[in-house]
Amino acid sequence: MTTTTYNFIAPATGKCVPIEASHDIDLSRGMLGNGVTIIPTEDTVTAPFDCMVTSVSPSHHAVVILDTAHDVELMLCADTGISTDAACTFFVQPGNVVKQGAPLFSCNIQDIQARGGHVELSCILTNLPAEDVSVMSGDVISGKSRIMSCECIG
């Protein structure tokens, strides 16, 4: 068996914080897996790697993507504190195959904040056979900054 490092690139520009800082109690407790939360400063969330969209939540607040080359699954969950149906617009459907950098969904941050909401993007590893996950914090740039890395046994 070999161990390799897998790096996760930011799907949004903003401030990256530990998942424990999420407003969502279940996510902050790690109930769905390890990850980070990004407080975005730009509206659009993009694919952090070449992937297949495996699901989009019926409430349009989350998308699950799979890196089929590495069998890595990531859930991107938007928490707005208001009705997400009106807050986020999704550009993908289950079964879509997209390249890194392709838009997945968009949330109008100014509109959400004007309606009393907030915007957080939780990035959660849902199936990764990881020995150790290292999370980053600080300012991140979509498509450029590393937000997490882990050692995978393959």
Side-chain angles (χ1 to χ4, degrees):
M1 292 190 151
T2 60
T3 301
T4 59
T5 300
Y6 192 96
N7 291 310
F8 296 86
I9 304 302
T13 297
K15 182 163 182 81
C16 185
V17 298
I19 193 77
E20 295 82 11
S22 173
H23 280 88
D24 185 299
I25 294 171
D26 292 334
L27 298 180
S28 68
R29 292 180 181 163
M31 295 181 87
L32 297 178
N34 290 322
V36 297
T37 296
I38 297 173
I39 313 303
T41 56
E42 296 178 356
D43 294 344
T44 303
V45 175
T46 62
F49 43 75
D50 293 348
C51 60
M52 180 176 67
V53 177
T54 59
S55 68
V56 174
S57 70
S59 62
H60 286 107
H61 78 281
V63 61
V64 179
I65 56 176
L66 176 67
D67 178 338
T68 56
H70 300 96
D71 194 32
V72 172
E73 190 174 67
L74 187 69
M75 180 172 75
L76 301 173
C77 182
D79 178 10
T80 63
I82 60 173
S83 172
T84 310
D85 287 337
C88 297
T89 302
F90 277 71
F91 308 119
V92 295
Q93 300 175 32
N96 289 158
V97 175
V98 297
K99 294 288 188 187
Q100 180 180 1
L104 298 174
F105 63 92
S106 180
C107 298
N108 185 325
I109 295 171
Q110 288 184 333
D111 180 57
I112 293 165
Q113 290 172 337
R115 293 191 285 153
H118 60 267
V119 181
E120 294 179 345
L121 175 68
S122 293
C123 309
I124 303 159
L125 303 170
T126 57
N127 78 332
L128 193 63
E131 289 292 319
D132 184 44
V133 175
S134 174
V135 298
M136 311 309 156
S137 61
D139 294 334
V140 293
I141 299 171
S142 180
K144 295 183 180 182
S145 304
R146 184 171 48 127
I147 58 169
M148 292 185 282
S149 65
C150 63
E151 299 301 315
C152 300
I153 297 175

